[in-house]
Amino acid sequence: MRINSFKLTLSLCIFIYQFSLGADENLTLENKINSYLSEMSLEEKVGQILMVEIGYITPEEVQEYNIGAILNGGGSFPYKKNDHDAQDWMDLADEYYMASSMTSKGKKSMPVFWGTDAVHGHNNLRGATIFPHNIGLGATRNPQLVEEISSAVALEIIASGLDLTFAPAVSVPRDDRWGRTYEGFSEDPELVALLGKHSVIGFQGELGNNFLSSNKILSTAKHFIGDGGTLDGVDKGNTILSEEDLINIHAKGYVSTINAGVQFVMASFNSWNGNKLHGEEYLLTNLLKEQLEFDGVVLGDWNGHQEVSGCSVDSCAQAINAGLDMFMITDNWRGLFNNTLQQVKEGQISKARLDDAVKRILRVKFRYRLIQKGKPSSRIASPSINFIDYKQHREIARTAVQESLVLLKNNNNTLPLDPSKKILIIGEGSKKVSKATGGWSYSWQGSNVENSYFPGATTIYDGFLKIVKEGLGNIEYSEDGQYKTKPDVAILVIGENPYAEYQGSVENLVLTDVEFDHLDVASKLRQENIQVVTLFISGRPLWVNRELNASDAFVAAWLPGTEGAGVADILFINPNTKKEKDFKGKLPFSWPKSANQSSINFGDDSYSPLFSFGYGLSYKDSIQLNKLSEKLDTVTDSKLGNIILEGWPKSGMEVVLQSENEEVFLNSKNISTSNGKLLLDIFDTKIQEDSQRITFKGNTNSSWSLISSKPINWEREEKASGVLSIQIKILQKDSQDELYLSSSCGEDCGQSFGLNKFLDNIPKERWFVLGMPLKCLKENDVDLSNLFKPLIFNTQGAWSFELGKIYLEGGMGGKSIVSCESLKGDYE
Ligand code: BGC
Ligand code: BGC
């Protein structure tokens, strides 16, 4: 059944947009498009509907194929330069623009535009201001602030030569286990619609006013539709809803952003009632283009078309026929170009559908005046201002940090703190920018990015330090709760480590990322009459009853970004004015009272969260929070089934390369030791960045290790016949020098197993699962209660292999199990 009553309400909202452009203007625009289109060859049209990732296409190829657009993925930098600056981006943008503008060989040229995920600031660009993630902006409930942020981001994008952002996400996350929860403003569709609209106005300008004027860029509402509604919060999963519910819950952000003139809508990876959105004609064409009257570009997500049934990454007529206007594509763009061309020639894609897609792309390019703008470096209106690392932008971000903090507990009015007191700050998260910036920050996952990659940033600790110094108090920092001077108050900084997309999805809402025994530390401090304030950093609400009980005050800080110092502005009385700044933040998501309450949402029939949507104390309140239940409910805490690495290590884990006393942590897609003996590249097998390619060049002992920030205990898993399973594909073997697999429980504790004999029977170039029974470790005296490096590969030889998932499993089924016997005697 198709719901028609929505049609009317929805279309009523859209009319302002059509009218504010002006009828005459629309007419000239459409004439221009048609005349342009009539001069294009079929090949040129097909090229226009591709958006290709910069790592896979050169400016010359963009020109040759008349490619319509380019993008950089998360952590993909111009010229692959990790230490790039805005000039590098600008130089490459000029190259692509100039190449695509060339009219040699009688071609009809059309410049490309460049899209990027500026989802909380221009977050791939080193040195840019990184704002709180959307979840924090949802807590501010401040549409003007959101608009200001997007305007600031637009200036940073222009200053680096780009045109388009894949933001705002108008997702409505309904199950907090979803790894993208923080990308959404709220679980409440109305709040999402309001903030999404103002974000678009900030990026693109206001219709009838400064729409797409020289200091504005293009923007994208994503991911259409139902991305936040998947069953169990599974990323790219299935959203099972009636059309009425789908629209009521997940469409409001599209209505408001289309109304505000958004030029792109990105199709989602998820399915609706079993059908992948990239192939959903009813939703892409009938709902989005016809009922919602969207006249811009329906953009695909990262190779997202390949998930449509019957499609592959280089062939998907279904998606174009369903209403997709532009594919987002990586390495297989040539195949996709050739197949699409063929499909048009053979009539599998109608010429009319192709023309419609191209017209939409041209419409956006003309509206944005892409040709008149000239090359990116010629567009800078105020060359004297460096918009990257710009004081005004940092101030806006700091305000956003202040307004996003939500006070959940403040027994006995513990806060605000007096800066003349003795303050102890605990937790290395307080000093790590990457903990505060979360995913989509410099790299895709955002994990383990060193502070030096965020020049100009302040940490949460920096803010505390400054204010306590000014207040003439005493400040001490501790990683684990030990102190020299007995403090009056301890501030514990804890919470989630960075993640993005499916890598961040979890099974329940238990907090697992902790660098120290925060509960013990808190209880010891309180026994000594030291007040405890917990600052909680996270991309979603988690079950924190134990932490709440252990604290006198508790503040949800979300993912504040590079202006972490803003936290201190609220927690402390200002030493100069002697006044405090009050909390403004209100919960954008319902806060769970158990670890299983992940899909509780405002408006549910039986709504019983711990803190309701909209909750948030101010300094005027004096509410005492009583002791909460600490029972863990039905959640099991066995780690069997847990994935610990999938391209990127899961939270709490890191990958480090070692050669000749040098350690290199995995913090971007391509790393190597400086002696060039060990290389690691992250690449895509089934989904994005799900695999590693590791190359040992030989002649030097080098190692790849998975290390845990906190010792792991796998004793229980061993008792349950646990197996460490490693998806591996051997590319190059060294018959002389052994490849070792080891596990370490600290200095002089651990075991190495030589793998050569075992691998002799395994063909190269083939994926298989290497199963290492935990009992082999135990039998060889590895202390399973204290694993620091659960997995190490090391060798002197020239070995090369690929790693897929690494996970713990119960039982032996279907794997190439390393028998403990075969290993015995083989180790060093
Ligand atoms: C992200 C990209 C990222 C890519 C990595 C995608 O899911 O959105 O930005 O670079 O995966 O392969
Ligand atoms: C993500 C999008 C993103 C795109 C480009 C995808 O994996 O789902 O949100 O815009 O990659 O990086």
Side-chain angles (χ1 to χ4, degrees):
M1 194 193 67
R2 303 303 187 203
I3 306 284
N4 289 317
S5 57
F6 292 105
K7 250 193 198 169
L8 187 65
T9 9
L10 294 176
S11 349
L12 275 177
C13 302
I14 309 296
F15 81 103
I16 311 170
Y17 170 40
Q18 301 295 337
F19 276 88
S20 57
L21 279 179
D24 286 353
E25 229 174 282
N26 269 338
L27 201 67
T28 4
L29 176 67
E30 295 307 312
N31 287 340
K32 233 162 104 180
I33 296 169
N34 285 328
S35 100
Y36 203 92
L37 186 79
S38 66
E39 292 170 29
M40 287 174 88
S41 70
L42 208 52
E43 285 76 4
E44 286 167 344
K45 290 177 185 173
V46 172
Q48 272 307 286
I49 69 167
L50 302 187
M51 172 186 265
V52 188
E53 213 280 342
I54 56 165
Y56 304 92
I57 195 163
T58 62
E60 294 68 38
E61 289 165 332
V62 160
Q63 195 234 330
E64 187 185 338
Y65 285 83
N66 200 42
I67 296 296
I70 52 170
L71 83 144
N72 68 292
S76 163
F77 310 129
Y79 311 110
K80 299 201 165 40
K81 262 171 94 169
N82 284 347
D83 58 352
H84 57 260
D85 59 18
Q87 191 59 47
D88 294 311
W89 292 75
M90 187 64 88
D91 290 346
L92 188 60
D94 275 352
E95 285 184 38
Y96 279 115
Y97 185 93
M98 294 311 287
S100 55
S101 305
M102 243 151 37
T103 48
S104 59
K105 301 182 203 142
K107 280 199 170 156
K108 187 90 186 143
S109 82
M110 177 49 75
V112 281
F113 54 81
W114 180 339
T116 194
D117 291 282
V119 295
H120 63 147
H122 193 355
N123 40 254
N124 287 293
L125 171 58
R126 189 171 174 184
T129 298
I130 298 190
F131 299 83
H133 265 297
N134 284 351
I135 195 169
L137 302 183
T140 72
R141 303 196 165 205
N142 185 342
Q144 271 62 48
L145 180 62
V146 169
E147 197 173 312
E148 262 183 78
I149 291 174
S150 293
S151 303
V153 177
L155 293 173
E156 300 202 18
I157 296 270
I158 295 168
S160 58
L162 278 56
D163 309 278
L164 160 70
T165 177
F166 306 129
V170 290
S171 323
V172 183
R174 303 290 278 186
D175 189 319
D176 304 346
R177 291 174 294 178
W178 188 34
R180 310 191 75 158
T181 300
Y182 65 79
E183 294 188 52
F185 294 110
S186 172
E187 71 189 23
D188 175 47
E190 303 293 343
L191 186 55
V192 169
L194 177 70
L195 300 183
K197 167 178 147 190
H198 284 274
S199 177
V200 168
I201 295 175
F203 287 131
Q204 298 194 157
E206 200 173 3
L207 285 167
N209 183 8
N210 57 345
F211 190 64
L212 296 182
S213 64
S214 61
N215 52 2
K216 293 294 169 189
I217 58 166
L218 299 163
S219 75
T220 314
K222 73 183 187 187
H223 310 85
F224 188 80
I225 180 176
D227 54 349
T230 60
L231 193 66
D232 295 334
V234 169
D235 191 46
K236 308 185 175 182
N238 190 8
T239 296
I240 305 170
L241 285 177
S242 68
E243 183 177 347
E244 183 172 355
D245 287 343
L246 183 76
I247 291 185
N248 280 336
I249 302 172
H250 298 281
K252 295 216 163 85
Y254 297 98
V255 176
S256 71
T257 53
I258 292 171
N259 204 5
V262 75
Q263 294 295 295
F264 291 79
V265 169
M266 189 186 290
S268 188
F269 282 129
N270 67 275
S271 308
W272 177 47
N273 297 336
N275 296 326
K276 284 284 173 185
L277 249 301
H278 279 67
E280 241 298 341
E281 184 177 357
Y282 176 69
L283 295 178
L284 297 186
T285 299
N286 303 61
L287 178 68
L288 179 57
K289 292 181 174 172
E290 291 167 18
Q291 297 184 39
L292 300 188
E293 299 182 19
F294 174 63
D295 72 354
V297 176
V298 178
L299 176 64
D301 201 345
W302 189 273
N303 295 328
H305 53 276
Q306 69 181 330
E307 309 206 7
V308 176
S309 142
C311 287
S312 61
V313 69
D314 61 3
S315 170
C316 194
Q318 292 91 316
I320 299 298
N321 288 337
L324 197 85
D325 301 312
M326 186 171 239
F327 288 112
M328 187 188 286
I329 174 87
T330 58
D331 41 350
N332 296 292
W333 62 268
R334 280 168 205 275
L336 187 63
F337 175 89
N338 290 328
N339 289 327
T340 309
L341 183 61
Q342 197 59 26
Q343 285 152 356
V344 180
K345 286 184 178 159
E346 287 169 4
Q348 286 177 55
I349 296 172
S350 71
K351 293 217 166 73
R353 177 69 268 273
L354 178 68
D355 281 353
D356 174 55
V358 177
K359 274 164 89 171
R360 286 167 175 271
I361 292 161
L362 295 178
R363 184 176 296 133
V364 169
K365 289 187 173 180
F366 287 138
R367 269 187 192 145
Y368 176 62
R369 300 171 52 256
L370 186 57
I371 300 176
Q372 294 92 317
K373 275 183 196 284
K375 67 176 180 178
S377 59
S378 69
R379 301 176 196 166
I380 308 295
S382 338
S384 60
I385 302 178
N386 173 17
F387 285 110
I388 316 298
D389 192 15
Y390 189 37
K391 193 160 167 275
Q392 281 179 24
H393 294 180
R394 300 216 180 265
E395 279 164 9
I396 298 170
R398 190 159 176 149
T399 305
V401 173
Q402 297 165 356
E403 295 194 12
S404 65
L405 302 174
V406 182
L407 181 60
L408 295 179
K409 178 176 182 179
N410 195 20
N411 282 14
N412 308 316
N413 294 88
T414 305
L415 296 176
L417 300 174
D418 175 349
S420 68
K421 291 255 170 81
K422 294 199 259 318
I423 311 285
L424 175 67
I425 313 293
I426 311 173
E428 59 178 25
S430 67
K431 288 191 169 184
K432 266 192 180 174
V433 179
S434 65
K435 180 116 179 170
T437 45
W440 297 105
S441 302
Y442 177 73
S443 70
W444 178 39
Q445 293 296 316
S447 34
N448 303 319
V449 183
E450 283 153 33
N451 286 5
S452 61
Y453 285 95
F454 300 103
T458 60
T459 63
I460 291 172
Y461 178 78
D462 291 337
F464 292 146
L465 179 70
K466 182 155 186 283
I467 213 158
V468 176
K469 273 197 171 161
E470 278 172 12
L472 306 176
N474 181 60
I475 187 161
E476 191 177 334
Y477 166 74
S478 161
E479 257 175 34
D480 56 5
Q482 310 272 0
Y483 56 77
K484 288 196 207 89
T485 312
K486 184 177 175 192
D488 303 305
V489 184
I491 306 179
L492 270 64
V493 181
I494 59 167
E496 290 185 308
N497 291 327
Y499 52 78
E501 300 191 42
Y502 65 92
Q503 305 260 15
S505 293
V506 289
E507 275 167 33
N508 58 59
L509 300 182
V510 177
L511 170 65
T512 50
D513 298 340
V514 275
E515 290 90 15
F516 61 98
D517 278 330
H518 62 292
L519 293 171
D520 286 354
V521 167
S523 94
K524 258 185 230 138
L525 292 166
R526 285 170 97 200
Q527 276 161 23
E528 296 168 52
N529 285 326
I530 298 164
Q531 288 183 309
V532 171
V533 176
T534 295
L535 185 75
F536 190 63
I537 296 174
S538 73
R540 58 189 144 214
L542 289 180
W543 178 70
V544 288
N545 286 13
R546 295 177 292 195
E547 287 77 8
L548 282 160
N549 286 342
S551 317
D552 298 283
F554 188 101
V555 177
W558 316 109
L559 298 166
T562 51
E563 308 317 303
V567 172
D569 303 341
I570 305 294
L571 266 52
F572 281 88
I573 295 168
N574 183 312
N576 304 316
T577 62
K578 309 273 181 248
K579 289 209 182 91
E580 71 267 4
K581 233 187 197 162
D582 209 342
F583 279 86
K584 287 192 177 161
K586 302 287 173 209
L587 284 183
F589 286 81
S590 309
W591 200 283
K593 66 173 165 210
S594 85
N596 291 323
Q597 219 183 25
S598 60
S599 57
I600 182 159
N601 292 297
F602 180 57
D604 286 353
D605 284 346
S606 49
Y607 182 65
S608 65
L610 178 63
F611 301 116
S612 301
F613 171 78
Y615 188 82
L617 300 172
S618 83
Y619 285 144
K620 288 168 211 86
D621 297 308
S622 46
I623 292 178
Q624 293 289 115
L625 184 70
N626 295 329
K627 188 159 189 278
L628 304 165
S629 156
E630 300 200 351
K631 202 169 133 249
L632 234 181
D633 273 19
T634 54
V635 165
T636 65
D637 59 355
S638 165
K639 298 169 201 88
L640 288 184
N642 273 11
I643 295 175
I644 49 189
L645 180 133
E646 188 176 10
W648 295 88
K650 295 293 173 175
S651 60
M653 299 275 187
E654 300 189 39
V655 165
V656 62
L657 305 184
Q658 219 167 350
S659 190
E660 292 184 311
N661 297 328
E662 187 200 12
E663 286 194 334
V664 181
F665 281 84
L666 175 62
N667 63 0
S668 68
K669 293 207 278 203
N670 320 91
I671 57 166
S672 60
T673 56
S674 46
N675 62 5
K677 295 289 185 188
L678 181 51
L679 281 67
L680 187 162
D681 299 291
I682 301 239
F683 68 101
D684 308 353
T685 301
K686 291 214 180 87
I687 36 178
Q688 304 96 307
E689 304 199 1
D690 59 353
S691 309
Q692 293 192 0
R693 186 173 301 113
I694 296 153
T695 313
F696 290 88
K697 294 283 191 190
N699 293 327
T700 310
N701 199 352
S702 308
S703 68
W704 172 102
S705 329
L706 189 61
I707 63 179
S708 171
S709 44
K710 215 178 123 192
I712 303 184
N713 185 341
W714 280 344
E715 280 180 324
R716 282 183 44 174
E717 289 68 23
E718 189 276 322
K719 289 204 181 75
S721 313
V723 175
L724 182 61
S725 299
I726 303 163
Q727 289 179 340
I728 186 167
K729 186 202 264 181
I730 305 290
L731 304 175
Q732 189 191 338
K733 293 184 185 179
D734 188 324
S735 49
Q736 318 242 295
D737 279 308
E738 186 93 40
L739 174 67
Y740 292 96
L741 184 159
S742 324
S743 227
S744 158
C745 33
E747 225 170 296
D748 297 326
C749 175
Q751 190 57 269
S752 296
F753 303 98
L755 287 177
N756 283 28
K757 211 186 267 172
F758 171 76
L759 292 175
D760 274 350
N761 303 319
I762 307 263
K764 283 200 300 190
E765 305 277 346
R766 205 195 82 189
W767 282 108
F768 71 100
V769 178
L770 189 158
M772 159 65 98
L774 294 180
K775 83 167 193 274
C776 300
L777 300 177
K778 189 169 172 201
E779 284 172 5
N780 282 288
D781 297 325
V782 176
D783 178 0
L784 285 175
S785 70
N786 201 30
L787 290 173
F788 285 92
K789 296 187 178 175
L791 183 61
I792 303 163
F793 286 106
N794 63 297
T795 182
Q796 296 243 23
W799 279 85
S800 159
F801 53 90
E802 294 177 355
L803 292 177
K805 273 187 209 154
I806 300 181
Y807 49 101
L808 266 191
E809 263 195 326
M812 308 280 165
K815 287 180 286 291
S816 308
I817 295 286
V818 180
S819 88
C820 306
E821 294 313 311
S822 82
L823 293 170
K824 276 195 184 147
D826 255 346
Y827 43 80
E828 277 177 307

